[in-house]
Amino acid sequence: GTATLDGILQDSGHQVALLKTPAGTPAGTVSWSASDRSVVVLTTALQSPPAGQVYRCWIEQNGAGVAVGEMQFSGSTAYWAGSLGSWGNAVAPSSRFWVSLEPVAGGSKGTLVLVGTL
């Protein structure tokens, strides 16, 4: 995770979008790099999830939500690092990215905890 993060932050072409709580409070960031197609989500606004639940990351692709991964914890920081490869060729302008709290097994609409516009 940290190697991916370092790579993105050293890439002068990386882009950053703000994540906010449903109430609109700034609560984290999504950073991505077009050159190596990596993406990192960082927040210190989340508590560890309850047993049997995870924070799942989503991206809006063609109007539908696509699950892209689960947040991991390192101390008080929650993060997810992955690749834009699963998002097709690029992040579409004004796509939404969000994080929801939901059962590990999935299959139900989770509770929205963070959201941003890319």
Side-chain angles (χ1 to χ4, degrees):
T2 54
T4 305
L5 175 60
D6 291 344
I8 287 180
L9 298 181
Q10 289 168 8
D11 175 359
S12 61
H14 82 276
Q15 295 177 271
V16 180
L18 197 60
L19 288 174
K20 296 181 179 180
T21 66
T25 307
T29 58
V30 181
S31 305
W32 69 97
S33 166
S35 61
D36 69 1
R37 302 169 68 84
S38 55
V39 58
V40 172
V41 181
L42 286 174
T43 179
T44 54
L46 300 178
Q47 303 296 319
S48 294
Q53 295 191 297
V54 294
Y55 291 108
R56 194 159 280 134
C57 298
W58 300 81
I59 180 128
E60 188 176 60
Q61 191 83 27
N62 301 320
V66 178
V68 293
E70 294 173 9
M71 298 289 274
Q72 307 296 316
F73 279 81
S74 177
S76 62
T77 301
Y79 67 92
W80 176 74
S83 169
L84 285 173
S86 61
W87 299 358
N89 293 327
V91 175
S94 72
S95 289
R96 287 195 327 140
F97 184 96
W98 67 94
V99 180
S100 61
L101 178 64
E102 52 190 76
V104 171
S108 74
K109 183 168 173 55
T111 303
L112 185 69
V113 291
L114 297 174
V115 64
T117 301
L118 304 179

